[in-house]
């Protein structure tokens, strides 16, 4: 299998490149930058790839359509829209790690992304690749979910699918490391500002909210809205979504729902007996660990969902979609050791 | 004013000692340890107090009753109960930073602290010194609130006092640095475990929950329970309580309630326009910063409350109570510069 | 005493402003920005000064010469040169925290700072305010030393002054937190880059090297050069200079030299018995802690010198010079509690 | 290949187990604890191995001698001495990650480890497996080097082997993350103590000094001693050894020596043009990155050597020795992606 990758210089692209190098079914990886860029060896563009002379070539759709089997876009918001057209036109397989094609409704896109939406036809043919609950086989345009959306939806799925919670009571207190904000310099991710600090950002305005809502409504049309808070942590990797909702179910019913939903899925681990996951245990891996706790005093269920934002929340899930698309084993390229300690 | 301090070797005691040294009305500070301990110079017991030869003497109530005007207990849970009796008997002023006398109901104490409660008469004479909403003048036994309780109650006060929220909808997602757990070694605070991690602990079992409930019920008897989660952060100092509740009020009413409640209080700063506080801005100070955000999509109010757990959440609030008890100015000894950056 | 401060928006300026607010001899602090700037309240320019409406006015020398007793420049390299002329012309007291006037030789300045030097006459009248070894009284232009220079010179002083080491054997392995690099965004201080990392920078090219050499040559003309390495730490505050040199002296002679040099100086603490200082014990204070260890196997003395880079290495030492200039007590405004834990 | 592993619950053992799981020539891994321990599933002993039921059995040499091809000891100091005798007696292959058999001279062992040495015959048959400069083939007892020793020796090898430096001028300023200190709780690795701090420890007394000296003397008998400092960093993973020595060689000669020494070795990367390595670029990998800088002003060469202490400094190098012993490819099981960001 020959694959093309656009955007290796960003954090998600770096990780995706490394994972593809270890994937048993990938023969060659070609790297591409913007069509206007100059060819540059990888180690010059990203100094930590010491000794890797793979060229990053200017994007040339004709070459890719001829020589590759699939293209990954690990590009910033808006860039895929600009570059993907020839691949969409050719019905060539694309896995898009950006948010450009996740939302089916162009008005919702414009409201949350503050820019014009891609063409409606393209949006509506796009497959939202939440890998545990969708199958990318047969879909040539795969929109890989956002990192917050992945952690949150995996935590909410059993509750919403099985109507175990009051649909208007969902509160998500999500926390993320700084790598989610990428390489771009900003005051909020300046070390002296981030370190020993907690900072809230995009309160009720994070662009992952609409893709969460879009998917929740597929599962239960009655979910009206969610409360969704994002807090920047003084760590580099990882997301924790702490989810609260009112429930009439008891602890056993809740545990049963999670167990049944995820028993056969290799990358979601439901912890036993109300035990809570530590963020660090999933960093470096494609796992999503879930802890479920019921509080009879408040009739509230709390779900804690942790992922590595750049693996399960980006490059790893992209490989899950890649495996689904080509019919490879679900865990191909994704048997990753944790980084502990 | 001559004061006695028991427990200078713990984190709260260290800070309290430093604050007392700068207090304009404190003439002398005498340090005490357990009655069975040997006299030891401070710099030997706590090496960072380089050059400070102040003796830590074995506790001798007779000396203190004769020579001091007030005693602070910055001791671990259970120790105050063991040591405070002669001071209670003499109606001598005590400010107790431990949790021993915060709960009026001995059964509640035993349930949450897993040990026998102090005498009922002592519990019921104890004054819960939440300094913004109580006045320690005239109360000889002052129970200084817990750190989580302080951050949470200051964030909830306007909402509960003015009945602006559904009383059964309160969810508190609280996060703390490691200094809240003190000097005692534990796996959860081993650097290799804490660093780059988030760990939940004491889910729905934290011993600050009952003192929060006790105070909320004073403000509104209809609050049945709260959902309260504690997450250990990879930072040393500071607490953030992120509070959610359903409300019928709108943004203006909420902002008005906070403004009115705290306008005249020097240590609570309500940020304007839904702006959210950064944790780091209060570390090193006695401030509690509050951000208030209303989400019309979910009819939910979010309040973010940040404090320095060892100052506003312990030693600083103890000084507020000290100032109230003796009628000193509220800000005496507490005009502290932030540590930024 | 009325003082003017230019550059309150930078880290050193922020700290200096806070220290001046607590200084017993300072009646008023006026804040100034660039002459071309607009007047702005402090809390708008630096949001963490919540509620402080002190105006930052465009710099107006005439006003300052008329109304103030001294001006502090906490400005970036090059800015003081641009702005200080009227004060130098009037022989008005200046304490300059930038590096512009620290080097007496304009050629050395140009070599290390890569820009034209200030006027020779001004350079040569400038007083290098290493507070433990100079007295600012009578000097109207006081160049406050650099942070690395302060830690390193205090560690080397007894050894070089008393000719206890081989003058060509000095190696300094210095480490700094990120606040030394200021507020300016840069890849090396992006949180995802700095965190869990060590980065060397400006190898043998750091601009504090020439001021260290200039001072060492005052003490011993035979020191030909020093090896000086700077490593960026994943912490915000503090510098550790680890200093090595070959010596013929033994442990007792070395200990004696340090004890004699610093016995009467309030801000330098020599630890006993080869004990080594922890960086954290000085952060938040104006102390420089020194540990001295002699290794007979290598005939090498190691000195470990730690300071808070923004206090002892900038704003605190500026206050020492301020106190010297006006004849105030050495510790006025500088009795600061450590931040431990 | 069936391998036995004693000590999977420690940090090095955890990593070694994960690496062995991915090694292409390893068919089965059997886990063992102390002979007196009870059989326990791995996930109970080390909770982050969620779902791994592999039993940790009490050590039974007879079983291992019969069923396994090699045994790894990832045990604490002293434990291998206690347990390895039957394997030594049987000339069965052992790779020992502890320090018990690294020193050939029992008196040196006792001086630095403060305990009785293993039998002289065993010490002298032990192979010091510094993988870049030794070949484990044919040696049944392989003592895997210490983490500090690995980083330091790889940085010094070209200089000492080729007599490019003054042999009495070597100074090593080494820094380590906390994982090097293992899981054991200690004040120096308590989060509130380690975080935002630098702490020196075991000044001139670190037990890796004698193994460094033993190897340096193999390369150049004239090296009399080294100055060796260890500083504990507020990070979890990684070591940086910053090495200084006086030299008569110039920059080109030094660069040439490093290039020639390491050109053919896959795990040592010499950075070009005096460029310095960042610690983070090797964490998660088996690489040792080296930067070399010559300062003509001081005639000093500085070498900066960075490794992941638990991989190249422990489990990864153990796999290099494993590969050498059985004649597998040098990089088998060691093609690891960096953790950046």
């Amino acid at each position: 299998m020959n694959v093309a990758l656009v955007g290796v210089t960003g954090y998600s692209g770096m990780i995706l490149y490394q994972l593809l190098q270890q994937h048993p079914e990938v023969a060659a990886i070609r790297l591409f930058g913007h069509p206007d860029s100059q060819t540059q060896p990888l180690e010059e563009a990203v100094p930590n790839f010491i000794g890797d002379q793979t060229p990053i070539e200017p994007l040339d759709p004709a070459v890719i359509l001829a020589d590759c089997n699939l293209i990954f876009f690990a590009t910033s918001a808006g860039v895929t829209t600009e570059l993907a057209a020839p691949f969409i036109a050719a019905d060539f397989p694309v896995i898009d790690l950006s948010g450009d094609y996740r939302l089916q409704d162009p008005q919702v896109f414009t409201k949350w992304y503050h820019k014009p939406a891609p063409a409606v036809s393209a949006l509506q043919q796009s497959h939202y690749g939440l890998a545990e609950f969708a199958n990318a086989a047969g879909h040539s345009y795969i929109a890989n979910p956002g990192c917050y959306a992945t952690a949150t939806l995996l935590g909410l799925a059993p509750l919403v699918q099985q109507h175990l919670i009051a649909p208007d009571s969902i509160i998500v207190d999500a926390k993320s490391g700084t790598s989610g904000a990428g390489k771009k310099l900003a005051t909020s991710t300046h070390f002296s500002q981030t370190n020993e600090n907690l900072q809230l950002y995009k309160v009720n305005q994070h662009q992952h909210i609409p893709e969460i809502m879009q998917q929740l409504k597929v599962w239960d049309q009655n979910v009206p809205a969610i409360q969704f808070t994002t807090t920047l942590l003084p760590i580099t990797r990882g997301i924790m979504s702490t989810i609260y909702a009112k429930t009439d179910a008891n602890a056993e019913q809740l545990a049963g729902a999670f167990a049944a939903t995820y028993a056969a899925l290799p990358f979601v681990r439901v912890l036993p007996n109300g035990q809570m996951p530590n963020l660090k245990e999933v960093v470096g891996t494609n796992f999503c660990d879930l802890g479920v706790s019921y509080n009879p005093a408040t009739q509230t269920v709390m779900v804690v969902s942790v992922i590595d934002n750049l693996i399960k929340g980006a490059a790893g899930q992209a490989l899950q979609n890649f495996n689904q698309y080509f019919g490879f084993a679900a865990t191909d390229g994704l048997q990753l050791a944790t980084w502990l300690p």
Side-chain angles (χ1 to χ4, degrees), chain A:
Chain A
M1 200 65 54
N2 296 330
V3 300
L5 166 55
V6 189
V8 70
T9 58
Y11 289 156
S12 297
M14 284 167 53
I15 306 288
L16 182 54
Y17 177 65
Q18 294 175 325
L19 293 177
L20 287 167
Q21 287 181 301
Q22 313 251 358
H23 194 287
E25 306 284 352
V26 173
I29 311 162
R30 291 190 62 169
L31 303 178
F32 295 93
H34 198 273
D36 300 337
S37 63
Q38 300 287 319
T39 297
Q40 192 182 22
L42 177 55
E43 74 167 347
E44 279 181 25
V46 188
N48 55 280
F49 285 116
I50 298 169
D52 190 331
Q53 300 284 338
T54 308
I56 307 178
E57 306 168 65
L59 184 72
D60 182 342
V63 166
I64 294 166
L65 292 170
D67 296 352
C68 294
N69 300 94
L70 180 143
I71 185 165
F72 290 97
F73 280 100
T75 40
S76 307
V79 177
T80 320
T81 307
E82 182 193 342
L83 302 178
F87 304 100
I88 293 174
D91 209 29
F92 184 84
V94 174
I95 297 178
D96 180 4
L97 281 73
S98 85
D100 285 12
Y101 290 84
R102 290 181 198 148
L103 301 177
Q104 298 205 325
D105 182 334
Q107 288 184 301
V108 174
F109 182 94
T110 299
K111 175 183 169 192
W112 291 88
Y113 283 86
H114 314 293
K115 61 180 75 171
V120 179
S121 62
L123 287 180
Q124 291 182 347
Q125 283 177 26
S126 169
H127 167 85
Y128 187 67
L130 184 69
E132 272 69 24
F133 296 100
N135 191 329
H139 296 280
S140 53
Y141 202 98
I142 301 159
N144 211 55
C147 50
Y148 277 122
T150 299
T152 304
L153 287 168
L154 294 177
L156 280 168
L159 301 175
V160 174
Q161 290 172 349
Q162 301 184 29
H163 309 291
L164 294 169
I165 54 175
D168 67 346
S169 71
I170 300 171
I171 289 173
V172 182
D173 192 283
K175 299 98 175 165
S176 176
T178 59
S179 59
K183 273 189 171 172
K184 216 179 68 175
L185 303 183
T187 296
S188 62
T189 53
H190 189 48
F191 187 86
S192 304
Q193 172 78 10
T194 312
N195 185 39
E196 297 293 288
N197 203 359
L198 287 183
Q199 302 172 86
L200 277 81
Y201 63 106
K202 295 188 183 174
V203 173
N204 294 318
Q205 293 177 357
H206 197 283
Q207 71 278 9
H208 290 177
I209 295 174
E211 67 180 273
I212 296 171
M213 280 310 303
Q214 175 178 283
Q215 184 63 46
L216 291 180
K217 281 184 175 294
V218 171
W219 292 336
D220 181 350
Q221 187 57 43
N222 293 320
V223 177
I226 58 169
Q227 178 72 18
F228 188 81
T229 301
T230 43
T231 301
L232 187 66
L233 300 169
I235 67 174
T236 306
R237 290 284 277 271
I239 280 179
M240 177 180 280
S241 271
T242 310
I243 300 165
Y244 302 91
K246 289 282 186 185
T247 182
D248 289 333
N250 61 30
E252 291 67 34
Q253 290 168 317
L254 293 163
F258 277 83
T261 302
Y262 291 117
L265 296 175
F267 293 117
V268 180
R269 302 186 296 195
V270 181
L271 302 195
N273 306 324
Q275 197 184 322
M276 289 295 128
N278 287 337
L279 180 53
K280 211 173 192 173
E281 285 170 8
V282 297
V283 171
T285 78
N286 197 51
F287 290 118
C288 173
D289 282 1
L290 297 175
V292 184
S293 166
Y294 172 68
N295 184 358
T298 57
Q299 291 176 284
T300 296
V301 58
M302 174 176 73
V303 181
V304 175
S305 173
V306 292
I307 62 169
D308 184 317
N309 56 310
L310 295 180
I311 300 180
K312 182 60 181 167
Q317 189 160 219
L319 278 208
Q320 288 185 274
N321 281 311
F322 176 76
N323 288 339
Q324 288 179 3
Y325 184 81
F326 288 113
F328 302 140
T331 59
D332 271 5
L334 289 169
Q335 288 171 316
L336 305 169
T338 60
W339 290 358
L340 286 165

